[in-house]
Amino acid sequence: MVDLNMENYRNNTQLLLRGLWYSDLPDLLDMEELVDAVDDIFDEINHANVPAFKQDTDGFITEFKMIDSPPYIRSPGVEAISFFDFKKNKSLREMQIPNLLHYLAFMYNTMLEFSPLFEALYIEQDNEHYVKNSNSYLVFGEEFVLSNYNDETKEWEDDDWVLAGVFTTKNNKINSSAAFEENKKRVLAAERDYIYSLKMDIESFFPNLYTHNFEKMADKEPFSKIGVDFRYFQFLDQFHQRINNNQTKGIPAGTFSSHVAAELCMLCVDEEIRKYLSTRKNPVGYIRYVDDLTFYSDSESELAALYPAVQSILNQYRLRINGNKTEALRAVYAMQSSYLTELDQNLPKLKLADEAQTLQLVDFFALKRYIGVCLKDGRSSQIRTVLNRLLGRIQANILVVDDVIFELFCFLLKLVFEDVTLVSHVYRLLDLLLSKASEPAPLLEALQQKQEKIDAEYPDTLLQIWHYHVRFLRADEAARAAMIKGLKGKRFHPLVATAMVLPGKGNNKTLFGLIRDLYKQESSSTQWQSEIMNSKWWLPLFKIMRYDPHNYDSFMESTNIPELLRLFPIHEE
């Protein structure tokens, strides 16, 4: 059983739940409302009151029961919600959100094994050498304090703490900032004074991870040395099969459960690489971030000799080095960050100020010119810094943009088509500008005019999801009804449907019917009631259940929606 009073229990369960959600997605799922239900959910599992789970006497979940798979999924698998993000080269990268019921089982087993596995790895000093080469570590081994600027006192204050023994997730702003600081230290420790660096990237890492690797890891170092529970590694194998159409090749990207499994796997790789490097005549520094392996040395030939040895190690896990992404550099050039001083010189009104400043037309043209130069130079990271600063200053009312709000909105909307990797940064700004606009109609019209292009050229992508989300969120009642009606006859995305769920009894009749009919069309199934919550449509239906008490088709109050999901609170306006 999971001890609900264990140290850092609440922090970790909340971080795990937020880890279900890819951080660059819009807030379609109100995580802050959901996290308070975890205690009740874990209590039900502790008492073996969940018919969907098979459990051992200590509560450990060993199997999923009563899974009625969609006919296009190999039973007893469930369907993840897939969408596409953009890589640095603008190509598509598949991301996924796993089924919530299954993810809750992952959360529970992970917390059950937190002390014997994760604390043993990251807190006990005797095991520090096992994780020192990883820059994608899972748990903070020490406390961090972060400074934040207080807009009222105009001072920097140390008021955000990250505790030792809590998970590191990108979905939490404080933890993400602390991890960034720790990562820089680890890179510098590996780089030292070495002259040369060599970076290797694993080809299609998450899609090529073989789930049976996880079960085998328990017999490998470091896990064979620290004495782990073999069941957890068996569970990781089975869990990742179930949530990914019951396939053994590939695990979902974009969710913390996959990060945990992948990182544990790569700790085994790290250990074998360390052992190999210890046999080399010349010293070599090594650091890894997820599937990016970087080596440092004073000898170029020493680094070149690493290729076959590293590939031989990866062969055991059915993984391959991506030759197209291998990069050799002099180590002094190996790290590039945003240039804040340059930003302050070019865009002085984005600096912190004691009094609010107004973004005038001349400042707007300077912003356009600077971003244009960054685009030509391929400096997307610098543009993200600009957009983050712009967002923060406008949110804090340090920067007033009323005089150029339409021009700024249109420029940002065009910018996302020049560099689609900026989509989440751009649309957070677009949404903020809509909330600040005294006359939002022209801005909403600009969004509407881009809808057809986005649907045709960017279907099922982060761009399409963000566009629908912002449009629907800021639209009036008539426009919302028209957007929902416009889905009829289309193969719309589950996250687009999730963005359109409305609070209030009976307000989702049309949307529910469209989801039901599209699932029946796609599956050719007559058993939609028992299957649909195991399909990619679970999320919009889960949100409808929480926002709208109407019992559509006698389904919303039926046993086809797992009782465990009903423990999450009903949304209140």
Side-chain angles (χ1 to χ4, degrees), residues 501-519:
V501 174
L502 291 168
K505 186 172 183 178
N507 288 341
N508 296 283
K509 179 180 179 180
T510 301
L511 183 62
F512 176 86
L514 290 171
I515 293 170
R516 175 202 60 209
D517 293 345
L518 186 54
Y519 174 78

Side-chain angles (χ1 to χ4, degrees), residues 296-516:
Y296 302 94
S297 176
D298 283 338
S299 168
E300 286 185 286
S301 60
E302 187 75 46
L303 292 179
L306 295 177
Y307 283 101
V310 173
Q311 183 57 68
S312 178
I313 292 171
L314 293 175
N315 285 344
Q316 302 174 50
Y317 303 89
R318 300 188 180 186
L319 298 171
R320 292 197 59 80
I321 297 170
N322 187 342
N324 294 328
K325 288 191 175 181
T326 301
E327 183 179 19
L329 291 171
R330 286 183 174 267
V332 71
Y333 301 114
M335 195 172 184
Q336 181 178 358
S337 59
S338 59
Y339 297 96
L340 300 182
T341 303
E342 174 192 309
L343 183 56
D344 291 342
Q345 291 173 348
N346 284 272
L347 304 171
K349 287 194 175 178
L350 294 189
K351 292 193 294 186
L352 284 172
D354 293 335
E355 297 180 358
Q357 300 186 79
T358 299
L359 192 73
Q360 299 175 333
L361 200 59
V362 63
D363 306 310
F364 169 67
F365 279 115
L367 176 71
K368 282 187 64 176
R369 181 169 57 253
Y370 183 71
I371 290 179
V373 170
C374 290
L375 279 173
K376 290 180 180 178
D377 294 341
R379 298 173 64 194
S380 296
S381 62
Q382 187 74 351
I383 299 176
R384 291 188 188 91
T385 303
V386 173
L387 298 180
N388 281 335
R389 278 204 172 185
L390 193 58
L391 181 73
R393 304 301 182 257
I394 297 172
Q395 281 179 329
N397 297 314
I398 296 173
L399 187 65
V400 179
V401 296
D402 295 354
D403 293 349
V404 293
I405 193 166
F406 181 73
E407 292 81 4
L408 179 58
F409 190 92
C410 291
F411 171 70
L412 292 169
L413 187 55
K414 290 185 290 187
L415 175 62
V416 79
F417 294 98
E418 294 298 318
D419 188 344
V420 286
T421 68
L422 303 172
V423 58
S424 63
H425 292 76
V426 166
Y427 273 88
R428 286 189 174 96
L429 263 168
L430 295 180
D431 183 48
L432 179 61
L433 294 177
L434 278 164
S435 71
K436 296 278 187 180
S438 57
E439 295 290 337
L443 310 186
L444 287 168
E445 184 180 353
L447 286 180
Q448 182 178 354
Q449 289 175 351
K450 292 291 187 289
Q451 191 68 71
E452 185 176 349
K453 176 181 178 66
I454 288 172
D455 288 344
E457 298 179 20
Y458 301 94
D460 305 331
T461 65
L462 206 59
L463 175 53
Q464 185 190 49
I465 294 161
W466 265 105
H467 198 82
Y468 272 100
H469 167 68
V470 172
R471 272 195 68 199
F472 194 84
L473 182 66
R474 300 300 174 183
D476 58 26
E477 185 176 349
R480 287 179 170 183
M483 287 180 69
I484 295 172
K485 186 177 180 181
L487 298 178
K488 188 174 183 179
K490 296 181 180 178
R491 290 187 177 274
F492 54 91
H493 195 275
L495 294 181
V496 168
T498 305
M500 296 187 182
V501 174
L502 291 168
K505 186 172 183 178
N507 288 341
N508 296 283
K509 179 180 179 180
T510 301
L511 183 62
F512 176 86
L514 290 171
I515 293 170
R516 175 202 60 209

Side-chain angles (χ1 to χ4, degrees), residues 129-140:
H129 61 287
Y130 288 126
V131 297
K132 71 175 184 178
N133 296 103
S134 171
N135 227 351
S136 49
Y137 48 93
L138 298 172
V139 173
F140 287 104

Side-chain angles (χ1 to χ4, degrees), residues 21 26-30 33-34 100 469 472-473 494-504 508 511 515 533 537-549 552 556 561 565 569-571:
W21 200 250
D27 297 329
L28 305 176
L29 197 61
D30 41 5
E33 290 184 355
L34 300 183
L100 179 55
H469 167 68
F472 194 84
L473 182 66
L495 294 181
V496 168
T498 305
M500 296 187 182
V501 174
L502 291 168
N508 296 283
L511 183 62
I515 293 170
M533 289 301 288
W537 298 104
W538 71 264
L539 180 55
L541 293 176
F542 172 66
K543 191 171 182 180
I544 289 173
M545 178 196 77
R546 295 188 55 248
Y547 276 59
D548 182 349
Y552 296 106
M556 303 306 295
I561 295 182
L565 301 188
I570 300 300
H571 174 81

